[in-house]
Amino acid sequence: MENIEQNNPQNEQPTKSLYDRVTGSVVIKFGVVFFLTLILLIPMNLITDLISERKYREQSVSNEIAVKWGKEQVIASPIVVVPYDEVREVVEESSEGVKQVVKTVVNRWAQLLPDEVQATAEVSPEPLKRGIYQAVVYSSKIKLKGKFVGFDMEKLDVSAEKLKWNEAKLIFGVHDVKGLTANPTLNWGGAKMELGKSNYEMRPYQENLIVDLPLSGNEDLKQGFELDFDIRGSRSLNFLPLAKQTDIDVKGNWSNPSFNGGHLPESRDVTDQAFAAKWSIPSFSRKLPQQWTGGQQNIYDFLGVDLNSENGEPSANPYDAIPATATVAGVGGSAEMISSDYDMVQINFLPSINNYQKTTRVTKYGILVIALTFVSLLFMEIIKKQRVHIIQYVLIGFAMVLFYALLLAISEHLGFNIAYLLAALATILLIASFVRAITKNMKSALIFGAILSLFYVFIYILMQLRDYSLIVGTIGVFIILAALMRLSTKIDWYQFDKR
């Protein structure tokens, strides 16, 4: 009788296969989930590349709009140039071996910067759309008022008799003349003249507008002047202060300006609908002297570098982009660096919302959200004693990766905030309903959906904090880790070894 009971197959414990033992091991399950989290970095990188591709497409469209409307504008102070002839003597040897002195006459100019300039600008920015993309363009009314005090002839390297006063010119520079809606008008000592574009040999600016000055001598230079013009541009409005004292006053109906460049405003007032800013800039940081003589050289080189540091994407080291030095003849033979973006006053008209920038920031937290979600699912699997197959982990992981593609696609049409809400709701509902189908338990699905909602709300809050995102994010992850550690103490981990 005893032998019969011992041989009864109903009393024998079934022997698990190697596959069951491996898939049922919690330690191995943790390892597989960790490996899966790393694998999901591949599609996350593909999403990041897609965001970059769409961002570059937006920039390309923005550049196309700028070319047709008007590029970033640089408004530089006018200068006065007075030509003179310079005789050069060069000793040359003829074919017969006879040395002789050859004289050549070259054109040179005495150049003078204003003593003071007051620049006022009224700017009206607006978004200009093409398809789903848009660029910020503006129209502006600009007035330059100032005066010259004439050359200091004692310090000038050429005598007054050599200067061709009747050929003197005033040269004014802008970055893109296509943005001008009419010829600028110059008021010189009460006389009104129109500036026009010219192929004059002397071209100190990228785009030069020139007018002849009625001068008979140095005393005629002691005049006040006014320049009035309307100009269109895109993205940013830049001023290059060249006078001994430059005052700039800019007003506009834009709620999100960024003040950058080499000079920050003395005062600023930014509201929800408009802004106003003022600068007062002496010549101490100017790279050119008040007057000099010599040949053709460029006064500035506009690089179009992104000087905006408020968008979370700072530019590379700015001084790496500054061009090589240019020699200014007649200034003691010294080498002066020509001005660049970093010597200008820049008002950057930022779009109200940069969807691609915010989406990129969200993707940086992607691996954290995926890892926390998998850990939460593992804990739920252990506590509820309901196994979740690794394939189901894979499907949940891809659903979470798809969240970022949804966010990118919807944000291009509806904006970032609405896109984030819709993409998060869709992802939470999809995963929660999947968990409900796996566990056959509505409570588990609701709890897991609440956990996912907490994660997405946490990331959204981090997006809004900017300066405090690091400390809040670190504290938040610390609290989540503490909660998981506390929860792990409620589980008898050795029960899995007994099995």
Side-chain angles (χ1 to χ4, degrees):
M1 185 69 179
E2 183 179 353
N3 292 335
I4 295 175
E5 290 180 356
Q6 290 178 351
N7 295 329
N8 190 349
Q10 295 179 354
N11 295 331
E12 293 182 358
Q13 294 293 331
T15 303
K16 292 185 177 181
S17 66
L18 177 62
Y19 174 80
D20 291 333
R21 290 198 300 269
V22 170
T23 56
S25 172
V26 175
V27 176
I28 293 179
K29 193 68 168 287
F30 267 103
V32 172
V33 170
F34 175 75
F35 180 73
L36 175 60
T37 304
L38 296 180
I39 290 297
L40 288 176
L41 285 173
I42 297 175
M44 286 296 298
N45 286 332
L46 295 177
I47 295 293
T48 302
D49 292 340
L50 178 61
I51 295 172
S52 299
E53 179 185 340
R54 303 296 288 182
K55 182 179 180 180
Y56 292 145
R57 171 59 181 162
E58 180 193 45
Q59 292 175 347
S60 175
V61 173
S62 177
N63 291 335
E64 291 178 10
I65 294 174
V67 168
K68 297 178 180 180
W69 178 272
K71 301 178 183 177
E72 296 172 281
Q73 294 292 0
V74 178
I75 310 301
S77 303
I79 66 172
V80 169
V81 297
V82 183
Y84 66 94
D85 293 333
E86 183 180 275
V87 179
R88 291 183 177 180
E89 295 182 354
V90 180
V91 178
E92 295 182 355
E93 187 173 346
S94 65
S95 57
E96 291 81 11
V98 178
K99 294 183 178 180
Q100 56 185 359
V101 177
V102 177
K103 295 183 179 181
T104 56
V105 178
V106 294
N107 292 328
R108 289 292 180 262
W109 292 268
Q111 301 170 56
L112 178 67
L113 296 178
D115 194 64
E116 62 181 52
V117 168
Q118 296 90 38
T120 58
E122 295 182 2
V123 191
S124 300
E126 60 178 321
L128 194 62
K129 291 187 176 182
R130 174 180 291 180
I132 63 173
Y133 302 107
Q134 68 177 21
V136 178
V137 300
Y138 60 84
S139 300
S140 60
K141 295 181 177 294
I142 297 179
K143 182 176 183 178
L144 301 180
K145 183 179 180 180
K147 67 177 182 179
F148 290 89
V149 296
F151 290 101
D152 185 347
M153 299 306 299
E154 294 182 357
K155 297 181 180 179
L156 201 63
D157 293 340
V158 60
S159 63
E161 293 76 15
K162 292 184 178 180
L163 296 176
K164 301 178 182 179
W165 296 105
N166 60 331
E167 298 181 18
K169 299 182 183 296
L170 183 140
I171 304 180
F172 171 62
V174 296
H175 185 60
D176 185 13
V177 294
K178 186 183 292 185
L180 291 170
T181 56
N183 284 359
T185 301
L186 171 67
N187 187 324
W188 178 267
K192 291 188 176 181
M193 297 170 281
E194 279 193 358
L195 282 79
K197 190 174 180 181
S198 172
N199 293 324
Y200 187 58
E201 184 179 355
M202 181 63 179
R203 295 186 293 274
Y205 302 112
Q206 184 158 337
E207 298 280 1
N208 298 270
L209 299 171
I210 301 176
V211 65
D212 295 326
L213 293 180
L215 302 182
S216 59
N218 193 37
E219 289 298 318
D220 293 341
L221 271 175
K222 298 178 180 180
Q223 294 283 355
F225 69 88
E226 290 185 10
L227 266 171
D228 293 281
F229 57 97
D230 296 340
I231 195 168
R232 302 188 305 186
S234 59
R235 289 192 290 268
S236 71
L237 176 62
N238 305 267
F239 292 88
L240 178 61
L242 295 177
K244 185 178 291 185
Q245 176 64 40
T246 303
D247 296 319
I248 302 172
D249 187 354
V250 181
K251 298 178 181 179
N253 56 346
W254 193 252
S255 61
N256 194 29
S258 175
F259 306 109
N260 298 291
H263 309 274
L264 293 178
E266 299 287 328
S267 63
R268 69 180 79 182
D269 181 21
V270 181
T271 65
D272 292 338
Q273 296 182 347
F275 75 93
K278 294 181 179 181
W279 290 259
S280 182
I281 306 169
S283 62
F284 302 119
S285 61
R286 186 181 63 190
K287 294 180 177 178
L288 290 171
Q290 187 66 22
Q291 62 181 33
W292 70 97
T293 59
Q296 160 66 24
Q297 84 285 326
N298 293 328
I299 287 181
Y300 75 85
D301 185 9
F302 184 70
L303 307 169
V305 179
D306 182 12
L307 299 180
N308 171 41
S309 59
E310 297 182 2
N311 58 5
E313 297 180 353
S315 303
N317 184 357
Y319 297 100
D320 292 341
I322 294 179
T325 59
T327 300
V328 180
V331 193
S334 62
E336 298 283 340
M337 294 184 69
I338 63 176
S339 299
S340 67
D341 307 41
Y342 306 94
D343 302 299
M344 300 179 185
V345 167
Q346 182 188 79
I347 304 100
N348 197 332
F349 303 105
L350 304 175
S352 55
I353 296 177
N354 192 322
N355 295 323
Y356 298 110
Q357 169 196 325
K358 289 190 174 183
T359 305
T360 301
R361 291 182 62 194
V362 171
T363 57
K364 293 179 181 179
Y365 298 100
I367 194 65
L368 174 64
V369 175
I370 292 173
L372 291 176
T373 302
F374 281 166
V375 171
S376 301
L377 187 60
L378 267 172
F379 273 69
M380 188 193 71
E381 178 182 350
I382 294 170
I383 294 173
K384 296 294 183 180
K385 296 182 175 58
Q386 291 180 317
R387 291 175 59 182
V388 179
H389 198 275
I390 193 62
I391 296 298
Q392 293 167 329
Y393 275 92
V394 172
L395 294 174
I396 291 174
F398 278 114
M400 300 188 70
V401 171
L402 187 61
F403 161 79
Y404 301 98
L406 282 172
L407 176 60
L408 173 63
I410 299 174
S411 66
E412 290 185 333
H413 299 275
L414 300 180
F416 177 82
N417 292 334
I418 296 178
Y420 191 93
L421 176 63
L422 294 178
L425 283 176
T427 304
I428 292 168
L429 290 175
L430 175 63
I431 296 177
S433 61
F434 188 54
V435 172
R436 167 69 176 83
I438 295 172
T439 62
K440 305 296 189 295
N441 189 313
M442 178 60 72
K443 184 178 179 181
S444 298
L446 292 177
I447 292 175
F448 198 76
I451 293 173
L452 277 179
S453 301
L454 180 64
F455 291 158
Y456 284 121
V457 170
F458 175 60
I459 297 301
Y460 184 80
I461 292 174
L462 290 183
M463 291 292 300
Q464 310 305 315
L465 293 178
R466 287 193 177 184
D467 295 338
Y468 299 98
S469 61
L470 178 59
I471 185 171
V472 173
T474 304
I475 293 174
V477 173
F478 182 85
I479 293 174
I480 293 173
L481 179 60
L484 291 175
M485 292 173 68
R486 177 65 177 171
L487 183 61
S488 69
T489 62
K490 305 296 183 181
I491 300 174
D492 181 11
W493 298 96
Y494 294 102
Q495 63 177 309
F496 303 104
D497 296 334
K498 295 175 185 178
R499 293 181 184 177

